[in-house]
Amino acid sequence: MPSRINHVKLVTPNPGVINAFLTQVCDIPDGWPLGENDRVVGPDEPLGGGGDLPMEAIFDARKVTGPGGYIAGDSASRQFQILRGEPSDFWAICISTRYIEDIHERAKARAIPCTPITIADWNERDNIANFFCIVDGLMFEIIRVEPKTA
């Protein structure tokens, strides 16, 4: 087995909001608490300020300063997209799902600012349906890889 991503470590002032987004909106299974938490976010509470997220906000967050970069990994090990930019930073966490429309709808219902779902031309056989959202200051991309239609 190749080396692969095991887990992602996040720091945020409101861990309950991110946990609610991942478990209640994105269908990531519930885990367990780490130490004491001040509150649990209920399934009907807003998770953001609402509204639409303009694509310009995505490009601004990337802080890409020039051409070039790499993709490390393959479809079996998952991938890292490495872009040229300053300062060094993580700019988005990508979650893959079959149910992108459902997640987009739930995110909007919970007042998470989202871009519209768009289709990106990925390679000769696949497209990627995707949208971006910002939850408690962290950028997420939700995707579905789908075969191109003739």
Side-chain angles (χ1 to χ4, degrees):
M1 173 199 282
S3 296
R4 62 181 176 82
I5 298 171
N6 187 286
H7 61 275
V8 177
K9 297 179 181 228
L10 306 174
V11 175
T12 177
N14 300 299
V17 169
I18 299 298
N19 187 64
F21 169 69
L22 294 172
T23 59
Q24 298 168 10
V25 175
C26 294
D27 297 323
I28 302 292
D30 282 321
W32 55 91
L34 296 173
E36 293 184 29
N37 291 294
D38 54 354
R39 71 181 191 91
V40 175
V41 176
D44 297 324
E45 290 185 55
L47 300 177
D52 295 324
L53 183 61
M55 287 305 290
E56 295 79 30
I58 308 310
F59 299 124
D60 290 347
R62 286 187 349 168
K63 299 179 183 95
V64 173
T65 59
Y70 297 92
I71 290 184
D74 60 26
S75 61
S77 71
R78 300 296 133 221
Q79 299 170 0
F80 292 88
Q81 292 181 0
I82 309 156
L83 306 172
R84 181 182 314 278
E86 292 186 33
S88 294
D89 197 1
F90 294 94
W91 74 273
I93 297 169
C94 184
I95 299 172
S96 183
T97 180
R98 293 183 186 112
Y99 310 108
I100 189 169
E101 293 86 0
D102 295 343
I103 291 175
H104 190 262
E105 185 177 313
R106 286 194 301 262
K108 297 291 279 182
R110 299 289 294 274
I112 296 170
C114 299
T115 65
I117 296 173
T118 61
I119 304 296
D121 180 11
W122 183 242
N123 59 34
E124 64 279 349
R125 67 179 189 274
D126 296 320
N127 286 327
I128 294 181
N130 71 323
F131 75 91
F132 288 85
C133 60
I134 296 177
V135 184
D136 202 39
L138 298 175
M139 180 84 66
F140 292 87
E141 180 185 19
I142 312 299
I143 71 167
R144 176 179 60 219
V145 178
E146 48 194 36
K148 289 184 177 182
T149 56

